[in-house]
Each structure stands twice: as C-alpha cells, then as structure tokens.
Amino acid sequence: QVQLVESGGGLVQPGGSLRLSCAASGFTFSSYAMSWFRQAPGKERELVASMSSGGGTNYADSVKGRFAISRDNAKNTVYLQMNSLKPEDTAVYYCNARQFRAWGTNDYWGQGTQVTVSS
C-alpha cells in the first residue's frame, strides 16, 4: 500500500539544474520526515538532504548551497531542486520516508531515479 515514486531524473550538463519529485501514498505524509539519498556505482548510499515533519532541513556538505529540499503536504510530494550540478552528483537518487514512534520506526523507500551530469 505504501508507495514512494521518484521522477524528474535525467541527463544534464555540468552547471545545469534539475528538480526531482517524490509522490507518496499509503501513509500520513505530513507526520513523516522526508529525505533524499543517492548512490553512485561502487559507492555507499549517502544522505543528500532531509526535512523533518516540522519543516527543519539539513544537507550534506557536498550539496549545501546548491540543492534545496521542499515538501508540499497537500500534494503528498517532496522535491529536490538541484542547481549548479557537477559530474560528482551523478547517482541514483532515492526518496525516503521515516516516522519515529515509541514502539519503533517506520521506514519506506522509493525505487530511485537516475541523475547523470555529463558534458
């Protein structure tokens, strides 16, 4: 029932911009922290950006000042605006939803969307 569907990935030139979207369903979106992770071939998955249910944000140092996470609770959608893209940003980007409860943590993942930055 729970679904996270990423979209908006593609091929862009260095210095270009891209906006990723993640459409959520099957859970109470507004009560979950939302995050974007990425994984490049041969590398570990890393946290890129996150936003708490209260709206607080944090970013990886490598993307700070270039990327921005936002959410629209009315649309059950989280976005990642990526500007000044670099080849090092090339990866599969994954959407994550997490809710912390006294009895445990709910943790959901999307299927990922490919971002390739190349000239």
Side-chain angles (χ1 to χ4, degrees):
Q1 184 177 356
V2 171
Q3 284 191 294
L4 296 173
V5 181
E6 300 97 332
S7 62
L11 175 64
V12 296
Q13 294 184 343
S17 297
L18 208 59
R19 188 179 74 160
L20 306 183
S21 299
C22 174
S25 61
F27 62 97
T28 305
F29 179 83
S30 60
S31 68
Y32 280 68
M34 301 299 299
S35 299
W36 289 95
F37 290 76
R38 68 186 181 188
Q39 187 167 26
K43 295 187 177 181
E44 296 292 325
R45 185 167 55 185
E46 64 174 345
L47 177 65
V48 177
S50 63
M51 177 174 283
S52 71
S53 60
T57 61
N58 66 87
Y59 298 90
D61 288 341
S62 60
V63 307
K64 193 171 297 182
R66 300 188 298 119
F67 290 11
I69 188 171
S70 61
R71 65 192 294 166
D72 187 338
N73 288 342
K75 296 182 177 180
N76 287 359
T77 302
V78 62
Y79 305 93
L80 184 67
Q81 179 66 47
M82 304 184 294
N83 299 323
S84 302
L85 283 161
K86 305 175 180 179
E88 308 91 88
D89 297 318
T90 296
V92 177
Y93 284 71
Y94 296 92
C95 179
N96 169 263
R98 176 168 290 190
Q99 182 189 49
F100 296 93
R101 308 299 293 267
W103 54 89
T105 301
N106 292 326
D107 197 11
Y108 306 119
W109 293 89
Q111 84 290 342
T113 185
Q114 176 71 48
V115 172
T116 302
V117 184
S118 176
S119 59

